[in-house]
């Protein structure tokens, strides 16, 4: 499996992806908003884009579909429930479905509601464990829920699916929000040494050569995975004095999501 992360350099700080089979050169494009950059990258590598996956229905993920289909004839896939919002979708995908790319790549579809209610993440298993997570999980952060999502569902997705993936899973999100997210982690957990050590380097990083994190690292620096941290809870009780001494993880997640909305 060859992964190319494409930095769009747009105002939304979107990442697009090409995933290719090393043997056949067939490629899947994920959320190819910047269709020109995606097509140029495929051409430079000698790849043929045969499939497109939209992680969800937001325009900053679907906006390049038409041009990509026109240029490649690729089949367009998205969440099985997203048909109404996605003109031109060829195939609906559900949890457990497998997307095959060429001869060597298999990706499993996960149904991951929360950011929207029709959101798909795809994962690669084994030695090349990876998660392409759209706007559900960001480096050091979580997607918002105010354009068709629900924080309760986002918590269930994090706790019930994402947190259980193997630690070595490489994380490929839909946007570059890492610097701001690390700053939020430090606002919520000022003694998070891993986040503190990371932030200066990240503030200087060139997003076209972005750090690819692992789930293990996310569990250290992403406040939405740190729901039992005593300092996260202590700081949260300062903001919400009505919280009990030991709030349950869901409550902590929902309060963090709420604070992040206006931070
Ligand atoms: Zn979105
Ligand atoms: Zn987005």
């Amino acid at each position: 499996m060859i992964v190319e992360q494409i930095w769009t350099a747009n105002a939304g700080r979107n990442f697009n992806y090409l995933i290719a089979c090393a043997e056949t050169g067939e490629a899947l494009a994920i959320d190819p908003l910047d269709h020109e950059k995606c097509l140029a990258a495929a051409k430079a590598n000698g790849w043929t884009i045969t499939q497109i996956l939209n992680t969800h229905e937001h325009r900053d993920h679907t906006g390049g579909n038409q041009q990509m289909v026109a240029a490649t004839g690729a089949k367009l896939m998205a969440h099985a429930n997203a048909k109404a919002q996605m003109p031109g979708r060829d195939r609906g995908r559900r949890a457990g479905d497998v997307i095959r790319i060429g001869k060597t790549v298999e990706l499993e579809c996960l149904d991951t509601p929360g950011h929207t209610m029709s959101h798909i993440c795809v994962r690669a298993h084994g030695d090349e464990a990876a998660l392409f997570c759209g706007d559900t999980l960001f480096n050091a952060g979580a997607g918002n829920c105010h354009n068709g999502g629900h924080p309760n569902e986002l918590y269930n997705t994090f706790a019930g699916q994402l947190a259980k993936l193997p630690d070595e899973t490489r994380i490929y999100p839909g946007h570059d929000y890492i610097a701001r997210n690390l700053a939020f982690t430090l606002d919520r957990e000022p003694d998070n040494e891993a986040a503190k050590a990371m932030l200066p380097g990240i503030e200087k990083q060139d997003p076209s050569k972005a750090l690819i994190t692992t789930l293990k690292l996310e569990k250290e620096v992403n406040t939405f995975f740190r729901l039992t941290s005593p300092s996260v809870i202590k700081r949260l009780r300062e903001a919400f004095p009505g919280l009990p001494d030991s709030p349950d993880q869901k409550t902590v997640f929902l309060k963090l999501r709420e604070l992040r909305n206006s931070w």
Side-chain angles (χ1 to χ4, degrees), residues 109-164:
C109 296
L110 308 180
D111 188 353
T112 51
H115 173 66
T116 75
M117 298 309 284
S118 304
H119 193 297
I120 290 266
C121 293
V122 289
R123 68 178 281 210
H125 289 258
D127 292 349
E128 299 177 305
L131 181 73
F132 298 87
C133 37
D135 289 359
T136 298
L137 166 63
F138 293 127
N139 296 130
N144 67 48
C145 303
H146 38 249
N147 289 297
H150 292 291
N152 277 326
E153 298 298 327
L154 191 65
Y155 169 73
N156 290 338
T157 290
F158 265 67
Q161 298 192 69
L162 305 186
K164 293 176 177 169

Side-chain angles (χ1 to χ4, degrees), residues 14 55-61 115-116 119 134-136 138 143-144 147 175 177:
N14 288 73
T55 56
H56 64 293
E57 68 273 27
H58 287 159
R59 181 77 190 162
D60 63 309
H61 298 254
H115 173 66
T116 75
H119 193 297
D135 289 359
T136 298
F138 293 127
N144 67 48
N147 289 297
H175 294 265
Y177 296 153

Side-chain angles (χ1 to χ4, degrees), residues 38-229:
C38 290
L39 288 167
K43 192 174 175 194
N45 287 295
W47 297 339
T48 308
I49 296 170
T50 54
Q51 301 176 86
I52 301 164
L53 174 73
N54 287 146
T55 56
H56 64 293
E57 68 273 27
H58 287 159
R59 181 77 190 162
D60 63 309
H61 298 254
T62 64
N65 288 350
Q66 236 186 335
Q67 293 91 337
M68 284 298 278
V69 171
T72 63
K75 293 291 178 211
L76 178 61
M77 301 177 284
H79 194 285
N81 296 343
K83 193 167 176 58
Q85 306 104 310
M86 291 205 176
R89 196 204 67 186
D90 296 300
R91 183 150 192 196
R93 291 295 191 172
R94 297 180 189 280
D97 284 355
V98 174
I99 296 172
R100 292 190 172 76
I101 308 164
K103 288 185 186 162
T104 60
V105 183
E106 289 191 351
L107 300 173
E108 180 194 350
C109 296
L110 308 180
D111 188 353
T112 51
H115 173 66
T116 75
M117 298 309 284
S118 304
H119 193 297
I120 290 266
C121 293
V122 289
R123 68 178 281 210
H125 289 258
D127 292 349
E128 299 177 305
L131 181 73
F132 298 87
C133 37
D135 289 359
T136 298
L137 166 63
F138 293 127
N139 296 130
N144 67 48
C145 303
H146 38 249
N147 289 297
H150 292 291
N152 277 326
E153 298 298 327
L154 191 65
Y155 169 73
N156 290 338
T157 290
F158 265 67
Q161 298 192 69
L162 305 186
K164 293 176 177 169
L165 296 175
D167 269 350
E168 62 274 17
T169 304
R170 289 158 69 83
I171 303 300
Y172 294 101
H175 294 265
D176 172 42
Y177 296 153
I178 186 169
R180 181 98 179 121
N181 284 339
L182 280 175
F184 181 68
T185 288
L186 286 169
D187 180 62
R188 292 291 94 216
E189 191 182 10
D191 59 351
N192 186 318
E193 298 301 332
K196 220 184 282 181
M198 239 176 120
L199 186 57
I202 288 295
E203 282 173 334
K204 281 182 250 143
Q205 102 169 344
D206 171 358
S208 69
K209 302 181 188 76
L211 172 76
I212 306 300
T213 67
T214 60
L215 187 64
K216 181 170 189 278
L217 180 57
E218 292 298 331
K219 286 179 176 175
E220 291 172 20
V221 302
N222 188 328
T223 196
F224 293 93
F225 283 124
R226 301 187 56 75
L227 309 176
T228 59
S229 152

